[in-house]
């Protein structure tokens, strides 16, 4: 079927809906590039790819009619297409002819009219591009291009159009938010970089960070399904059509990482990041990009998004509950150790009082013994520092705080934890044998949480031996390195052991063999150790008593 012809004579506006496809361009920025192309056209009628790309990247769309939007299958309304470079919109098979036409118009007079013929352009055959300059001298950089031709009734073209319809319907029906992206403009830039010998894109972007912004500006979202509209809080689908930059504004550096993935030719790219919605929300999503490969539609890069906002929010609330439980467990343990804590604090305070009174007597003598006073004053200072250190550790254990991961000496963590139970073990006639292993690797962890684990295990062992004869109450506490190079702590007591039926349940929440036990101590110990990437196990020793083993991986080398 022949399309309606449109006469350009004296026209400065686009054809109405239902007439020939037509574009209005600005060649103001492109003039030098088009002139350069025209100079080389006689000697080299085939456009050099780099020159063609640079010229069309500089030609901007001022307007386009509905017939042209339908012909090229473009997504979005006219407003979304204006000010875009025509290089990102015009089909590959007609790019050289368009550039040649615009070059001739740029070199011609104000009434110049040019035509170029193309065999096939989309669903059209015997295509003629007709171009002319605006009649108004004030718009000398404005040109019009009309497309006329014959619709191809062949089965191949019809099948292609049907395939495009099916593809669009599939995109619309997918249950996940999905954006269809035309990344070819960035791909053409990458091709030129490779042709110039660039292989290390990471180093190149460090020297030319502006390329990421350029890529995000020229790569276009061409389609979106209703789930993407809903997720991103857009008023309608057209709001999502345009430069892809808005996808990456919520996560600094994400545009750069995607650019590197595209340059490297990766098939898929996945990243968890934040995206700003159009209604002001900051969403946590998993972004999954699929880049086309040879044999597929090269204009179709797919971006799928999985909304993790609700899940991550629930996980954050769960972590807060776990933090509150751990804090409550520490307070509960400290409550049980009140006598031990009071004793530990009283010791240095008593020493301070004794040494200060003795110093006073030495000073009251007819001949004050200043060396002796100095010695006693040093003891007072040491006792004060010890008291301060004990109080600081108690405050750390009792305080409500966010975990702080640092490199730790596991042996030192265990030594500090012993301060809390030293008087408790003495009062209950429990002998604690220490066997600190050498060469333990440093671990990465939260000191207070790990001390909480050690204190809980020791308190459990002391309480488990309350019915054991006082002269047979022993705890062996040892550290070493296991076969996998991890730091290991073993706590063994001489109590009755764990009933076999309870061995699999000791780490369950709210399970306790004590009548007045809350049953959260060991469960919290397990959650703390799991959060540190380690394991905690319980068993009965062949010679009697319970054995708890804690294993924590070594910190990564720095």
């Amino acid at each position: 079927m022949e399309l309606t012809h449109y006469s350009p004579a004296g026209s400065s506006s686009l054809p109405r809906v239902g007439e020939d496809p037509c574009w209005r361009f600005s060649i103001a920025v492109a003039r030098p590039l088009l002139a350069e192309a025209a100079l080389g056209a006689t000697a080299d009628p085939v456009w050099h790819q780099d020159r063609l790309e640079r010229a069309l990247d500089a030609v901007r769309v001022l307007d386009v009619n509905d017939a042209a939007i339908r012909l090229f299958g473009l997504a979005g309304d006219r407003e979304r297409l204006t000010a875009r470079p025509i290089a990102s919109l015009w089909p590959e098979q007609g790019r050289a002819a368009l550039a040649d036409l615009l070059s001739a118009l740029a070199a011609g007079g104000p009434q110049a009219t040019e035509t170029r013929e193309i065999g096939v352009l989309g669903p059209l055959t015997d295509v003629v591009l007709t171009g002319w300059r605006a009649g108004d001298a004030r718009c000398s950089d404005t040109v019009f291009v009309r497309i006329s031709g014959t619709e191809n009734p062949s089965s191949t073209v019809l099948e292609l159009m049907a395939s495009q319809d099916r593809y669009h319907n599939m995109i619309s029906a997918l249950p996940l938010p999905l954006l269809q992206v035309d990344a070819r403009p960035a791909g053409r830039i990458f091709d030129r970089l490779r042709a110039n010998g660039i292989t290390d894109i990471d180093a190149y972007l460090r020297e030319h960070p502006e390329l990421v912004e350029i890529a995000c500006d020229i790569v276009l979202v061409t389609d979106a399904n209703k789930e993407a509209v809903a997720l991103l809080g857009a008023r309608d689908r057209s709001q999502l059509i345009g430069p892809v930059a808005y996808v990456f504004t919520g996560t600094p550096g994400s545009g750069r990482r995607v650019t590197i993935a595209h340059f490297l030719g990766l098939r898929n790219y996945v990243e968890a990041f934040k995206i700003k919605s159009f209604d002001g929300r900051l969403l946590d999503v998993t972004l999954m990009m699929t880049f086309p490969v040879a044999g597929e539609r090269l204009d179709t890069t797919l971006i799928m998004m999985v909304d993790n906002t609700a899940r991550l929010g629930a996980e954050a609330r769960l972590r807060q509950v776990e933090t509150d439980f751990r804090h409550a467990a520490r307070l509960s343990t400290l409550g049980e150790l009140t006598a031990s804590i009071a004793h530990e604090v009283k010791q240095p305070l008593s020493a301070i009082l004794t040494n200060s009174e003795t110093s006073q007597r030495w000073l009251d003598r007819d001949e004050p013994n200043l060396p002796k006073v100095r010695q006693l004053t040093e003891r007072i200072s040491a006792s004060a520092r010890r008291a301060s250190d004990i109080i600081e550790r108690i405050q750390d254990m009792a305080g409500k705080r966010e975990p702080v991961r640092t490199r730790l000496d596991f042996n030192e963590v265990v030594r500090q934890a012993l301060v809390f139970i030293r008087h408790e073990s003495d009062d209950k006639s429990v002998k604690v044998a220490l066997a600190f292993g050498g060469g333990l690797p440093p671990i990465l962890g939260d000191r207070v949480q790990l001390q909480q684990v050690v204190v809980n295990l020791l308190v459990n062992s002391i309480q488990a031996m309350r019915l054991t004869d006082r002269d047979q109450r022993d705890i062996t506490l040892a550290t070493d390195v296991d076969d996998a190079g991890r730091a290991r702590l073993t706590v063994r007591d001489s109590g009755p052991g764990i009933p076999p039926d309870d061995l699999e349940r000791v780490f369950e929440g709210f399970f306790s063999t004590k009548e007045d036990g809350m049953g959260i101590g060991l469960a919290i110990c397990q959650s703390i150790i799991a959060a540190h990437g380690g394991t905690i196990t319980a068993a009965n020793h062949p010679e009697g008593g319970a054995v708890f083993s804690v294993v924590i991986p070594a910190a990564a080398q720095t």
Side-chain angles (χ1 to χ4, degrees), residues 80-257:
R80 288 282 171 181
L81 297 174
T82 57
R84 304 304 309 155
I86 190 56
S88 64
L89 304 172
W90 198 269
E92 292 284 347
Q93 66 263 46
R95 296 163 67 84
L98 175 64
D100 195 42
L101 176 71
L102 295 177
S103 176
L105 290 173
Q111 301 299 320
T113 300
E114 296 284 342
T115 61
R116 296 292 184 275
E117 295 182 359
I118 310 173
V120 177
L121 187 65
L124 301 181
T125 60
D126 302 324
V127 179
V128 176
L129 302 182
T130 302
W132 67 95
R133 298 268 293 276
D136 192 337
R138 293 171 299 178
C139 302
S140 60
D141 290 322
T142 300
V143 300
F144 294 82
V145 174
R146 186 191 70 204
I147 305 167
S148 60
T150 304
E151 288 187 359
N152 190 339
S154 71
S155 60
T156 302
V157 173
L158 294 177
E159 287 173 4
L160 176 61
M161 296 176 69
S163 175
Q164 291 175 337
D165 289 340
R166 287 195 299 270
Y167 187 80
H168 177 74
N169 292 336
M170 181 190 71
I171 296 287
S172 300
L174 283 174
L176 286 177
L178 186 142
L179 303 176
Q180 180 178 319
V181 175
D182 184 355
R184 288 177 299 173
R188 289 190 282 268
I189 293 177
F190 297 156
D191 288 340
R192 292 199 292 271
L193 291 178
R194 295 188 192 97
N196 290 328
I198 301 299
T199 57
D200 188 346
I201 186 62
D202 186 43
Y204 184 84
L205 290 179
R206 284 197 294 270
E207 296 179 5
H208 304 277
E210 70 281 357
L211 178 58
V212 175
E213 184 176 348
I214 293 171
C216 289
D217 187 50
I218 64 176
V219 170
L220 300 178
V221 176
T222 58
D223 201 358
N225 64 2
K226 62 181 182 297
E227 282 74 16
V229 174
L231 174 66
L232 298 178
R235 63 176 180 272
D236 52 42
R237 173 174 157 273
S238 67
Q239 195 173 9
L240 303 183
I241 307 302
V244 76
Y246 67 83
V247 174
F248 306 110
T249 55
T251 304
S254 58
R256 185 180 191 276
R257 292 187 290 274

